[in-house]
Amino acid sequence: MVRRMTVAQAIVGFLRNQYSKRDSKEYQFIQGCFGIFGHGNVAGLGQALEQDVQLPYYLARNEQAMVHAAAAFAKASFRLRTLACTTSIGPGATNMVTGAAAATVNRMPVLLLPGDIFARRNVAPVLQQLESSFSQDVSVNDCFKPVSRYWDRIECPEQLLTSLPEAMRVLTSPSETGAVIISLPQDVQTEAFDFPEEFFRKRIWDIPRNRCDQQLLRRAAEWISVSKKPLLIAGGGVLYSEAFEALSTFAQSTGIPVCETQAGKGALPFNHPQEVGAVGVTGTPGANILAREADVVIGIGTRYSDFTSASKTAFQNPMVRFININVTEFDAFKHAALPLTGDARVTLDELQAAVAGFQVEEGYRARIARFRTDWETEVDRIYGVRKDPPISQGEVIGALNEATKPSDIMVCAAGSLPGDLHKLWRTRQPGGYHMEYGYSTMGYEIAGGLGAKMAHPEHEVFVLVGDGSYLMMAQEIVTSIQENLKLNIVLLDNHGFSSIGGLSRGCGNEGMGTNYRYRRGAKYDGDVLPVDFVANAASLGAWSIRARTREELQAAIASARTEGRTSVVVVETSYEDRVPGYETWWDVAVAEVSTSQAVKNARRKYEEARKKERLFL
Ligand SMILES: Cc1ncc(C[n+]2csc(CCOP(=O)(O)OP(=O)(O)O)c2C)c(N)n1
Ligand SMILES: [Mg+2]
């Protein structure tokens, strides 16, 4: 039995029959397809999606944004489902490169279907084709190779039969997942072929909970049982494995404190007795002191980015040893760790049994409790700051946190907000804190909010976005209105890049290029540019309002919640008033020679601080 279909029709027919399954719960894996059409896909995938509406189609405004939305959808679904994205050739395709990289860094499954130049070649160069004199087997879509986990180009219809199952294997693989690219030459998309009927049968991809090596598990248990200052680091893998309860039980029964990376934040509620908060460059004092002194660090589902390891200065105990629980072998081996390569939940359950009876000492337990209360006092202080307008960012975070419900989802990605939120946000449910900080892509915020809302339409989604990020990519507000997917956007306007301005000054410079002001001579030190964000958001169809004081902000957030459509609350915040770092450092290389005394001083301090960087061999 065969079905005569075009390549594009076969892709749609195949994708809508793919399911994922974990812990006996089943999900349609590809829940729809974003697309922006052009000559490279309108008559191919466009035709197929128009004909077969069982794979819902979504129109977005920008190709990069739709990949972020798809990745956010996957992240909010703990990687059990995702969306596909189709584009035309040339700029439509390459607009997705940043989105693909962000998805791959964050280990998020997204299926990207860029159009490609004619396989037939006789009409080349086609509109938007970048020719190569070196080979006819090259197109701009080759740019996706370093940013994807699986890359293929379909030159003839039968290749689909072996390519799409590979794409699904990678997308549903906990260890290999990331962006998957299937390049589709525009002529091939429309070619008909007799596809075997079985290709369109319902197929279930079981997402495994692999066990780690049992001998290594016993060794890990021995290491833990002789440890005096053990520390658990919860990374994104805890969430993607839905291992939060296993982690909570493990931490509670052993007394081992838990700190969190950006991706792992929310694994435990902020008021869990073993939770010591954010770790690393944007960490809390307690977590960073515990990391500095720890003799055994148990990293779960973490990539140990420089923000987590404080550029390899976080772990200063000369005897420190690492045990890494990670589904990806590559990460499990980091820091010369004892690698427990396996699923977080099943490994934590097994480790729990293997360390049965182990408890941290009373003094350590008391210290954890003290760090916790001290930190809550500090958060209350920052939340409670009362300033005349422009108000502080910490105050905005406090007002918003107090106005949100446990089931609300907070989405953010770049600027100074991620660092402040990592420290200050009181997360109450796993998934309530949605931060893209693997690639920290300006522009992810609103697009990501859209993806999170698509995954959980019954929850309120709050997007926190800086003025810089908003100006880079705000256009998916239009998509949210079109889809009736309401977002609550809070735009913090500090007239520029507060984060990078601070960084510039920290490196001895003067913050050039980080203020949104009129040019005066060589510098941008004129008046603030008159960007009217309230009018801008309203022009895209959102309900928008300006809030100047804490009271106005609280009232605006309350109105936004009851509003039926996407809202944008614009609040001016102080550029200078920032939340400090605690007990940590970040390696940003400072100029080794300069005519500026400030740069020379910064370099001296930098060289001193670098001495703490450690190699774990
Ligand atoms: C696409 C992209 N370009 C550049 C950067 C580098 N960068 C990080 S934060 C930032 C400024 C963000 O400005 P804004 O959104 O206003 O946040 P603020 O720093 O003021 O909090 C820049 C340029 C980035 N992360 N992403
Ligand atoms: Mg800003």
Side-chain angles (χ1 to χ4, degrees):
M1 285 282 278
V2 294
R3 277 198 223 171
R4 189 152 183 84
M5 301 165 92
T6 68
V7 163
Q9 290 159 5
I11 291 171
V12 172
F14 173 88
L15 292 180
R16 67 179 170 78
N17 283 303
Q18 306 304 307
Y19 289 76
S20 62
K21 190 171 179 185
R22 187 167 70 186
D23 306 330
S24 71
K25 274 190 253 154
E26 197 179 290
Y27 307 84
Q28 181 166 14
F29 187 70
I30 307 275
Q31 297 236 323
C33 185
F34 273 114
I36 294 181
F37 296 122
H39 60 93
N41 63 339
V42 71
L45 265 168
Q47 189 281 329
L49 287 162
E50 202 173 304
Q51 177 175 307
D52 186 349
V53 293
Q54 300 225 42
L55 188 70
Y57 162 71
Y58 301 103
L59 168 60
R61 266 67 213 168
N62 172 294
E63 291 89 353
Q64 180 187 332
M66 68 193 192
V67 184
H68 292 327
F73 179 90
K75 184 176 168 88
S77 307
F78 300 141
R79 310 198 300 200
L80 295 166
R81 16 170 232 171
T82 187
L83 295 160
C85 299
T86 164
T87 71
S88 190
I89 74 164
T94 52
N95 264 358
M96 293 203 294
V97 173
T98 297
T104 299
V105 169
N106 288 291
R107 317 276 165 83
M108 283 302 139
V110 290
L111 175 60
L112 309 186
L113 305 167
D116 209 337
I117 54 174
F118 272 71
R120 171 156 54 83
R121 294 181 180 170
N122 64 318
V123 289
V126 294
L127 177 66
Q128 301 176 318
Q129 173 172 353
L130 192 160
E131 290 173 278
S132 163
S133 57
F134 149 79
S135 168
Q136 293 187 53
D137 194 20
V138 169
S139 84
V140 293
N141 286 4
D142 290 78
C143 292
F144 284 102
K145 285 180 179 168
V147 297
S148 58
R149 298 308 301 264
Y150 180 76
W151 185 99
D152 210 349
R153 178 180 278 135
I154 303 301
E155 302 280 4
C156 63
E158 350 7 5
Q159 288 179 346
L160 272 192
L161 300 172
T162 49
S163 182
L164 290 185
E166 272 305 288
M168 280 302 301
R169 179 187 66 75
V170 173
L171 287 167
T172 58
S173 158
S175 59
E176 283 197 41
T177 198
V180 165
I181 318 293
I182 309 282
S183 279
L184 298 166
Q186 57 170 300
D187 51 346
V188 178
Q189 286 180 49
T190 64
E191 279 171 24
F193 180 74
D194 291 329
F195 288 95
E197 190 66 45
E198 304 92 280
F199 193 54
F200 306 105
R201 266 207 308 251
K202 176 174 174 177
R203 179 154 181 194
I204 299 171
W205 299 80
D206 287 292
I207 300 192
R209 292 195 178 278
N210 288 338
R211 298 171 70 194
C212 69
D213 181 89
Q214 298 297 296
Q215 223 167 327
L216 294 185
L217 184 96
R218 280 192 292 279
R219 199 183 305 163
E222 281 160 26
W223 286 18
I224 293 168
S225 38
V226 297
S227 71
K228 299 284 173 222
K229 295 178 168 184
L231 174 68
L232 285 151
I233 300 180
V238 176
L239 292 165
Y240 312 142
S241 153
E242 298 176 282
F244 6 93
E245 272 158 36
L247 176 64
S248 171
T249 314
F250 184 82
Q252 223 153 358
S253 66
T254 57
I256 303 177
V258 179
C259 58
E260 294 171 330
T261 71
Q262 284 278 16
K265 188 171 164 79
L268 296 183
F270 80 98
N271 53 3
H272 187 284
Q274 266 67 47
E275 164 71 38
V276 289
V279 71
V281 180
T282 52
T284 68
N288 284 342
I289 291 168
L290 291 174
R292 188 183 304 154
E293 298 176 4
D295 54 2
V296 171
V297 173
I298 308 156
I300 316 167
T302 175
R303 301 180 301 124
Y304 287 105
S305 84
D306 64 346
F307 263 73
T308 298
S309 77
S311 302
K312 305 286 188 235
T313 65
F315 312 105
Q316 289 295 328
N317 185 329
M319 304 302 286
V320 66
R321 299 193 282 188
F322 293 84
I323 298 167
N324 291 342
I325 302 174
N326 208 299
V327 78
T328 306
E329 191 177 73
F330 177 67
D331 293 314
F333 274 77
K334 285 177 178 171
H335 292 187
L338 175 61
L340 301 184
T341 310
D343 170 71
R345 185 153 111 190
V346 73
T347 307
L348 274 169
D349 285 345
E350 291 187 342
L351 198 56
Q352 163 102 28
V355 299
F358 170 80
Q359 292 252 325
V360 298
E361 287 168 3
E362 208 38 60
Y364 196 55
R365 206 181 267 276
R367 252 181 113 202
I368 295 160
R370 204 162 47 248
F371 281 139
R372 285 185 40 72
T373 40
D374 288 353
W375 178 245
E376 290 314 315
T377 309
E378 175 70 350
V379 176
D380 285 336
R381 181 188 71 77
I382 295 167
Y383 277 13
V385 166
R386 301 302 296 244
K387 276 195 65 206
D388 288 336
I391 63 177
S392 71
Q393 185 157 291
E395 196 177 341
V396 174
I397 292 171
L400 184 64
N401 190 275
E402 282 159 11
T404 47
K405 296 181 183 161
S407 60
D408 294 346
I409 301 169
M410 190 284 301
V411 180
C412 187
S416 58
L417 277 163
D420 291 0
L421 288 163
H422 192 207
K423 287 181 274 228
L424 300 176
W425 192 255
R426 288 171 166 159
T427 316
R428 286 158 285 176
Q429 274 184 17
Y433 182 90
H434 180 129
M435 182 67 68
E436 190 284 282
Y437 209 64
Y439 211 47
S440 189
T441 320
M442 286 172 77
Y444 177 94
E445 297 88 345
I446 294 172
L450 180 70
K453 183 71 177 172
M454 288 171 89
H456 300 293
E458 71 287 7
H459 293 227
E460 288 293 331
V461 172
F462 285 84
V463 173
L464 268 88
V465 60
D467 54 322
S469 273
Y470 181 92
L471 287 175
M472 210 173 265
M473 227 172 16
Q475 73 293 329
E476 298 318 311
I477 287 175
V478 179
T479 310
S480 79
I481 305 268
Q482 156 197 294
E483 299 296 331
N484 197 21
L485 289 165
K486 180 201 158 192
L487 303 176
N488 304 274
I489 300 168
V490 179
L491 193 170
L492 287 84
D493 181 11
N494 52 20
H495 314 294
F497 304 163
S498 159
S499 51
I500 306 301
L503 189 58
S504 169
R505 277 178 275 273
C507 296
N509 307 295
E510 291 172 14
M512 182 182 74
T514 59
N515 285 303
Y516 287 161
R517 289 174 180 272
Y518 287 100
R519 177 187 285 284
R520 276 201 320 203
K523 294 193 172 176
Y524 297 108
D525 60 359
D527 285 342
V528 161
L529 292 173
V531 184
D532 186 341
F533 289 107
V534 177
N536 180 279
S539 78
L540 299 178
W543 177 81
S544 63
I545 191 167
R546 182 180 312 284
R548 292 172 57 258
T549 62
R550 167 94 148 232
E551 289 69 30
E552 285 177 12
L553 178 64
Q554 285 164 329
I557 294 167
S559 303
R561 190 183 275 285
T562 57
E563 185 59 38
R565 66 189 153 134
T566 291
S567 63
V568 179
V569 175
V570 181
V571 55
E572 190 184 354
T573 50
S574 160
Y575 184 92
E576 296 302 341
D577 217 350
R578 43 188 100 235
V579 179
Y582 300 88
E583 308 281 343
T584 189
W585 182 70
W586 185 33
D587 188 338
V588 176
V590 177
E592 197 168 354
V593 292
S594 168
T595 51
S596 150
Q597 192 52 47
V599 173
K600 286 183 194 162
N601 294 345
R603 175 73 194 190
R604 247 197 320 276
K605 274 206 234 153
Y606 170 73
E607 283 172 8
E608 202 43 45
R610 269 209 65 193
K611 292 183 183 155
K612 290 222 167 74
E613 287 182 3
R614 292 190 63 187
L615 271 175
F616 301 106
L617 300 171

